[in-house]
Structures are given as C-alpha cells and as structure tokens.
C-alpha cells in the first residue's frame, strides 16, 4: 500500500475519508474544507486477502493511516463497483469485486472505526467528486462514465443521482451495444462493458502488440505505439466507436449538459475521441448538445466523491 500527504493545511471543518474500491485497486483520500490533505492506495486483491475480519481490518488501517495525528474522521464514505445495496451496506459483485462482496462491509467497518460509514456505487462517487471539485462543477445535469475494469455510469441532476427501482443504481455498463454472442456475467450478450471498458481496450491492444509484457503496461505501450503505427491508431478509433455507442444511448435518455469521462482509460480520450464522435453524430433534431470532458481528478475522483458522500452523512447526523 502506498500513500502521500500533499502538504495541504488542516482546517477546522469536518474531516472525512473516502475509499474507492475498484476491481484492481483501492484508493483513499482524507479531506477537510474541500481540500484533499492525504491520499493512499493499495491493490484490491492484497487488501482483500484472508477472512472477512482481516479484510475489514486492512481497510480500517488504510483509513487511519490517512488521518493527521490525534484526529478522528466525522464519517467515512465508500464508492464500490456494483451492484451495491446502499441501505444494507453490502456489495453484491462477486464478478469484479469478490474480496468485499456479500458481507455487511459498512456495519463492520463502522464498528471497527466507531464512526458512520456510507456507501454508494463507484460511478456515483466519481460523479460526486467531479461535480464537487472537478470537471462537473457548475453543471446541474451531469453524466459520468468511468472506463475501468468495467464501465460505471452515473447521472446527477442538481447534485442527486438518478436512481432506479427501489433506489437501486442503474447499471448502465450493461446496455447491449454489440451483436457479440458471448454472455456477460450479468446474463445479457453484447454488453457495453464487455466492448468498451479499459479491460476491453487492453485486450484489443494486446491482440496487436502481443502479450509478452505485464497487463499494466499495455495502455502506455499502446499510447506510445499510436504515434507511429496507424494500425494501433485504428484500434483506438474502433474503441472510441464502441464507447460512443453506449454514450449515444445515455445522451438520448438523460440529456446531460456535460458528460465527464473518467477511469483508467480516460487518458486515452484524445486517441479515441474521433471514433466516439462518429457514434455520437446525429441529424439536427436529435443532436444532444452535451459537452464531453475528461475527468479532472484522475484516479482519485471516486475517493474524493466518497469523501463528499461521507460529509453528507456527517451533516445528517448533526442536523
């Protein structure tokens, strides 16, 4: 696990901690007065090793390691790749987040730390982070997509996430966008997540560049190769078309003012923007005039948003 303190001064407002639980990594931030004062990260598989109490203990240690000496957070927030039962505080995602799924995570972490713990879908937490401190500031209708191990989707209207049946978070990453016959773990075929996640982009690039290197290096190798290799540039364009197919459906339904693209594939946006634009072009009456932007908070958007979620929980307690 690694971390750092950027040297920001500690103010007088509530201190909150946000955790972003992803399929590959866990990121944490401590925030006060709208400023991030410390960050940390670790690998999900390592933090999630062993029995449940050990997993919870490592997350608790990550939280306390973010805090200035002698302080206690007002609350902790968690953003997690879903499905997530917000009320029960349980993640139901054995497919991409098995280490923290199907046990009362928030209740156990709350008991361990002695402070309130809130949880939401990771796309919601990323959207909250970008709206509070990043590319979504000053927009009432904001769509956020995160291109990572899977695809996360969240729509905020006046700061509130659009919810589905019984308050569940709509899993927009499972829109069917291709004719591929292989079934996704959700049960459908042709899911957007299968076609356009960062995982899918890595798979497309490795088919061209080879697999004789660690998976974590594939993206950077692809970006470098695209400078001189037209066939690699074509892969990014093809990927952009697939990203745009799902995005076009979401734009038609949600009509956002701004769309923020985050996740670990977001740095490639300049390379796949052309293909994405092809999928988004419509005739005049059907054009959605949304601005598409890269996330500004990078890999920490979800953790920052989780800290925003925690701040809301802390304020609920104090009335």
């Amino acid at each position: 696990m690694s971390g750092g303190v950027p040297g920001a001064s500690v103010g007088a407002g509530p201190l909150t901690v946000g955790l972003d639980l992803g399929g590959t990594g866990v990121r944490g931030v401590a925030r006060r007065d709208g400023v991030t004062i410390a960050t940390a990260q670790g690998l999900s598989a390592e933090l999630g090793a062993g029995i449940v109490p050990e997993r919870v203990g490592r997350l608790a240690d990550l939280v306390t390691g973010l805090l200035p000496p002698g302080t206690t957070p007002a609350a902790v927030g968690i953003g997690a790749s879903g499905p997530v039962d917000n009320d029960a505080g349980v993640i139901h995602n054995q497919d991409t987040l098995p280490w923290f799924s199907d046990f009362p995570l928030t209740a156990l972490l709350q008991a361990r730390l002695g402070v309130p713990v809130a949880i939401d879908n990771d796309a919601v937490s990323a959207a909250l982070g970008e709206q509070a401190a990043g590319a979504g500031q000053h927009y009432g209708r904001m769509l956020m997509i995160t291109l990572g191990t899977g695809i996360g989707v969240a729509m905020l209207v006046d700061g509130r996430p659009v919810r589905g049946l019984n308050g569940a978070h709509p899993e927009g990453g499972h829109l069917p966008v291709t004719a591929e016959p292989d079934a996704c773990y959700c049960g459908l075929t042709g899911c957007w997540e299968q076609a356009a996640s960062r995982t899918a982009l890595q798979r497309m690039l490795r088919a061209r560049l080879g697999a004789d290197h660690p998976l974590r290096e594939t993206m950077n190798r692809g970006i470098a190769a695209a400078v001189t290799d037209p066939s690699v540039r074509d892969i990014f364009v093809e990927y952009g078309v697939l990203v745009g197919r799902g995005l076009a459906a979401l734009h038609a339904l949600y009509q956002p003012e701004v769309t923020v693209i985050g996740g670990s594939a977001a740095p490639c946006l300049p390379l796949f923007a052309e293909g994405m634009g092809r999928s988004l072009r419509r005739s005049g009456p059907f054009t959605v005039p949304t601005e598409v932007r890269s996330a500004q908070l990078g890999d920490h958007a979800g953790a920052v948003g989780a800290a925003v979620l925690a701040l809301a929980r802390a304020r609920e307690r104090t009335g």
Side-chain angles (χ1 to χ4, degrees):
M1 183 173 67
S2 62
V5 178
S9 60
V10 179
L15 174 65
T16 60
V17 171
L19 299 179
D20 178 25
L21 308 186
T24 302
V26 174
R27 292 178 175 83
V29 302
R31 283 175 64 84
R32 179 173 260 166
D33 297 330
V35 176
T36 295
I37 62 172
T39 66
Q41 62 184 23
L43 295 175
S44 300
E46 291 181 0
L47 290 167
I51 60 176
V52 167
E54 293 173 335
R55 304 175 206 173
V56 174
R58 292 190 194 96
L59 290 183
D61 290 343
L62 191 154
V63 170
T64 56
L66 286 162
L67 302 173
T71 63
T72 300
V76 173
I78 298 174
S81 55
V84 177
D85 185 330
N86 297 353
D87 293 332
V90 178
I91 303 164
H92 297 293
N93 186 2
Q94 287 290 339
D95 296 286
T96 63
L97 198 60
W99 312 279
F100 302 108
S101 288
D102 299 319
F103 64 88
L105 175 60
T106 62
L108 293 174
L109 190 59
Q110 182 168 306
R112 182 70 177 253
L113 295 170
V115 300
V117 179
I119 193 169
D120 211 321
N121 180 274
D122 60 344
V124 171
S125 64
L128 291 171
E130 288 292 336
Q131 190 172 68
Q137 295 180 82
H138 314 303
Y139 288 93
R141 298 183 64 84
M142 172 192 157
L143 176 66
M144 176 95 195
I145 68 167
T146 55
L147 306 173
T149 305
I151 292 182
V153 176
M155 178 69 189
L156 300 183
V157 179
D158 297 330
R160 295 181 176 274
V162 173
R163 300 293 191 188
L165 186 64
N166 297 326
H169 181 75
E171 292 291 334
H174 297 278
L175 290 170
V177 299
T178 74
E180 292 296 325
D182 294 336
C184 175
Y185 60 84
C186 78
L188 297 177
T189 59
C191 281
W192 192 26
E193 181 170 292
Q194 289 178 295
S197 61
R198 181 213 69 228
T199 307
L201 176 57
Q202 288 172 317
R203 183 174 62 247
M204 295 165 70
L205 288 170
R206 288 169 80 85
R208 173 67 182 86
L209 300 174
D212 59 345
H213 60 271
L215 186 62
R216 65 179 180 275
E217 296 179 6
T218 299
M219 299 280 286
N220 287 337
R221 289 196 180 204
I223 292 170
V227 175
T228 57
D229 189 336
S231 66
V232 175
R233 289 197 294 273
D234 288 345
I235 289 172
F236 282 105
V237 172
E238 178 186 354
Y239 174 73
V241 169
L242 294 167
V243 171
R245 284 183 184 172
L247 205 53
L250 293 171
H251 282 182
L253 289 171
Y254 287 144
Q255 305 282 305
E257 296 173 87
V258 65
T259 294
V260 178
I261 297 180
S264 45
C268 301
L269 179 57
L271 291 169
F272 68 76
E274 177 188 344
M276 184 176 67
R278 292 180 190 176
S279 292
L280 293 176
R281 289 190 195 104
R282 295 175 182 263
S283 59
F286 297 94
T287 298
V288 180
T290 183
E291 182 179 354
V292 179
R293 293 181 165 190
S294 291
Q296 293 180 357
L297 301 181
D299 291 338
H300 288 100
V304 169
V308 172
L309 184 69
L311 182 59
R313 177 59 58 87
R315 286 173 174 166
E316 287 174 4
R317 289 189 77 206
T318 58

